[in-house]
């Protein structure tokens, strides 16, 4: 019980504050004015825009949003601790006549759930990655642990019921649901869900499978959605570094126009829309290196320089590209 609650409280009053301050330090007054003009045009920008954004941040993403799920988790943890103590006392013949014990399967399933919760907290604490959604996930996991263990344990031999309930509880929640669906499909004679390919987001150089899944959890399932998302909101919801999110958005904006051909442009220093904006600006100034770069890209893609310049101009003139260039760093 102490391990479950301690990580969350330490995170909120140390690491969470550090992440908030790091984000606020990156977003200067000029950047915030551009941000509000781009994503909140209906909001009147106050003279002290930094103070305005801090209030905006605390209202939407502040520590207060953690209060209810942490209190709920604390109540469930306390009840589980009490039930566990009573159960151990009864099993060891040390309890009073009114004490009650949990059935073995229920106790094992609950213990497995807390094993996974503490393990997940260790991992997230190290990565400074605990969101409100994660805390609600812990609450949900405690609530479903016993029903899952009770439902699936009878499928095994009697001697394996309690160990299975514990080991099922130790699986991540997503894996637990996968196991449940597959067993249900087998017993009901239904076809299992088809195996899907890798997420579209993984086509970007900067996005691996765990990162793609994190974006998917926040409703970002396509590269176009990522390209036109609010990067500050996405940074807070995913707990990614702000500059990483900006880089993902930049690459997404370029991918829209070149799709998988964009991989051929990496060696020419065109990773994303931000680099394209810089190249177009240099080209318009008559920079010889920029003109050579445009020629090399056109030759690589086997299109005319004029056609390439039209596309590069579209990328560079995109309002989201301009926003990224102004807010970067």
């Amino acid at each position: 019980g102490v391990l479950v609650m301690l990580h969350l409280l330490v995170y909120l009053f140390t690491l969470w504050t550090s992440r908030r301050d790091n984000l606020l330090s990156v977003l200067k007054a000029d950047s915030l004015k551009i941000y509000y003009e781009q994503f909140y045009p209906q909001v009147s920008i106050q003279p002290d825009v930094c103070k305005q954004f801090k209030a905006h941040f605390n209202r939407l993403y502040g520590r207060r949003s953690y209060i209810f799920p942490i209190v709920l988790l604390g109540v469930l943890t306390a009840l589980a601790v009490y039930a566990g103590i009573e159960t151990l006392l009864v099993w060891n013949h040390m309890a009073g006549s009114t004490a009650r014990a949990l059935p073995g399967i229920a106790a094992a399933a609950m213990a497995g759930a807390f094993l996974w919760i503490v393990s997940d907290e260790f991992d997230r604490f190290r990565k400074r990655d605990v969101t409100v959604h994660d805390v609600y996930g812990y609450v949900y996991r405690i609530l479903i642990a016993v029903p899952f263990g009770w439902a699936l344990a009878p499928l095994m031999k009697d001697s394996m019921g309690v160990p299975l309930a514990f080991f099922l509880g130790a699986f991540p929640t997503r894996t637990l649901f996968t196991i449940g669906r597959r067993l249900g499909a087998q017993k009901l004679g239904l076809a299992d869900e088809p195996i899907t390919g890798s997420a579209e987001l993984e086509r970007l150089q900067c996005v691996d499978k765990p990162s793609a899944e994190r974006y998917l959890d926040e409703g970002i399932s396509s590269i176009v959605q990522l390209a036109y998302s609010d990067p500050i909101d996405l940074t807070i919801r995913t707990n990614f570094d702000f500059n990483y999110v900006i880089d993902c958005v930049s690459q997404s904006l370029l991918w829209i126009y070149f799709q998988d051909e964009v991989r051929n442009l990496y060696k020419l220093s065109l990773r994303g829309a931000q680099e394209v904006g810089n190249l177009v600006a240099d080209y318009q100034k008559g920079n010889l290196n920029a003109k050579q770069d445009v020629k090399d890209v056109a030759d690589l893609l086997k299109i005319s320089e004029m056609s390439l310049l039209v596309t590069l101009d579209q990328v560079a003139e995109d309002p989201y590209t301009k926003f990224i260039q102004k807010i970067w760093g």
Side-chain angles (χ1 to χ4, degrees):
V2 171
L3 283 176
V4 169
M5 302 307 300
L6 183 63
H7 281 89
L8 298 177
L9 296 177
V10 171
Y11 173 82
L12 280 183
F13 290 98
T14 57
L15 300 181
W16 182 91
T17 303
S18 175
R19 290 185 65 89
R20 180 201 61 188
D21 293 342
N22 287 340
L23 178 61
L24 294 177
S25 67
V26 170
L27 298 170
K28 305 299 183 183
D30 292 342
S31 300
L32 289 173
K33 289 178 182 178
I34 298 169
Y35 173 71
Y36 277 115
E37 290 171 358
Q38 182 75 21
F39 294 98
Y40 295 93
Q42 74 281 5
V43 174
S44 299
I45 300 177
Q46 299 176 6
D48 190 349
V49 67
C50 292
K51 182 178 179 181
Q52 179 184 7
F53 178 75
K54 190 172 184 179
H56 174 92
F57 179 93
N58 290 331
R59 184 174 66 255
L60 295 181
Y61 313 109
R63 275 185 294 218
R64 70 183 70 178
S65 60
Y66 285 84
I67 293 176
F68 180 73
I70 286 181
V71 169
L72 193 56
L73 179 64
V75 170
L76 291 177
T77 300
L79 291 174
V81 168
Y82 175 77
I85 292 173
E86 288 286 293
T87 299
L88 290 175
L89 289 175
V90 170
W91 286 356
N92 288 280
H93 308 290
M94 299 170 60
S97 57
T98 59
R100 297 181 179 180
L102 293 172
I105 289 178
M110 189 65 70
F114 278 97
L115 170 69
W116 176 80
I117 289 172
V118 173
S119 175
D120 191 67
E121 284 187 340
F122 276 134
D123 184 55
R124 292 186 178 280
F125 188 83
R126 184 175 65 251
K127 295 187 293 187
R128 301 183 179 186
D129 176 23
V130 182
T131 65
V132 174
H133 175 79
D134 295 323
V135 183
Y136 275 116
Y138 298 150
V139 171
Y140 182 60
R141 183 54 183 272
I142 294 172
L143 295 175
I144 68 171
V146 174
F148 253 94
W150 206 280
L152 299 181
L155 300 178
M156 305 295 291
K157 296 180 181 179
D158 291 341
S159 60
M160 291 296 295
V162 171
L164 177 65
F166 175 77
F167 288 125
L168 283 174
F171 278 112
T173 303
R174 186 173 298 181
T175 304
L176 198 63
F177 274 95
T178 300
I179 294 171
R181 283 195 297 267
R182 289 179 178 174
L183 288 175
Q186 291 176 4
K187 296 299 179 180
L188 298 174
L190 302 175
D192 198 1
E193 293 184 356
I195 299 175
T196 58
S198 60
E200 181 182 285
L201 294 172
E202 293 179 55
R203 298 183 183 183
L204 300 177
Q205 183 192 38
C206 56
V207 179
D208 57 7
K209 188 175 182 62
S211 300
E213 290 177 349
R214 184 83 63 83
Y215 280 128
L216 286 169
D217 289 340
E218 301 304 328
I220 306 297
S221 59
S222 70
I223 293 177
V224 174
Q225 284 180 300
L226 179 57
Y228 296 112
S229 296
D230 178 343
I232 294 179
D233 179 66
L234 205 53
T235 296
I236 298 165
R237 287 161 53 198
T238 60
N239 258 5
F240 285 141
D241 182 76
F242 178 64
N243 284 331
Y244 172 73
V245 174
I246 289 292
D247 186 54
C248 291
V249 172
S250 177
Q251 291 192 39
S252 301
L253 288 166
L254 184 59
W255 187 93
I256 292 173
Y257 293 89
F258 291 97
Q259 297 193 7
D260 290 335
E261 285 285 347
V262 76
R263 296 175 183 175
N264 298 323
L265 305 180
Y266 294 157
K267 54 190 175 184
L268 297 175
S269 300
L270 292 180
R271 294 183 62 254
Q274 181 171 305
E275 290 80 3
V276 169
N278 295 334
L279 176 62
V280 170
D282 289 340
Y283 185 90
Q284 291 173 348
K285 294 175 183 177
N287 186 297
L288 295 179
N289 290 332
K291 290 186 176 182
Q292 184 61 47
D293 285 345
V294 170
K295 183 179 183 303
D296 291 341
V297 173
D299 292 341
L300 182 65
L301 299 177
K302 298 179 180 179
I303 59 177
S304 68
E305 288 186 41
M306 188 60 66
S307 297
L308 175 63
L309 282 171
V310 171
T311 303
L312 294 181
D313 282 337
Q314 291 294 324
V315 177
E317 292 300 318
D318 190 301
Y320 282 76
T321 300
K322 293 182 176 181
F323 170 72
I324 289 174
Q325 287 185 287
K326 292 177 181 178
I327 206 171
W328 175 256

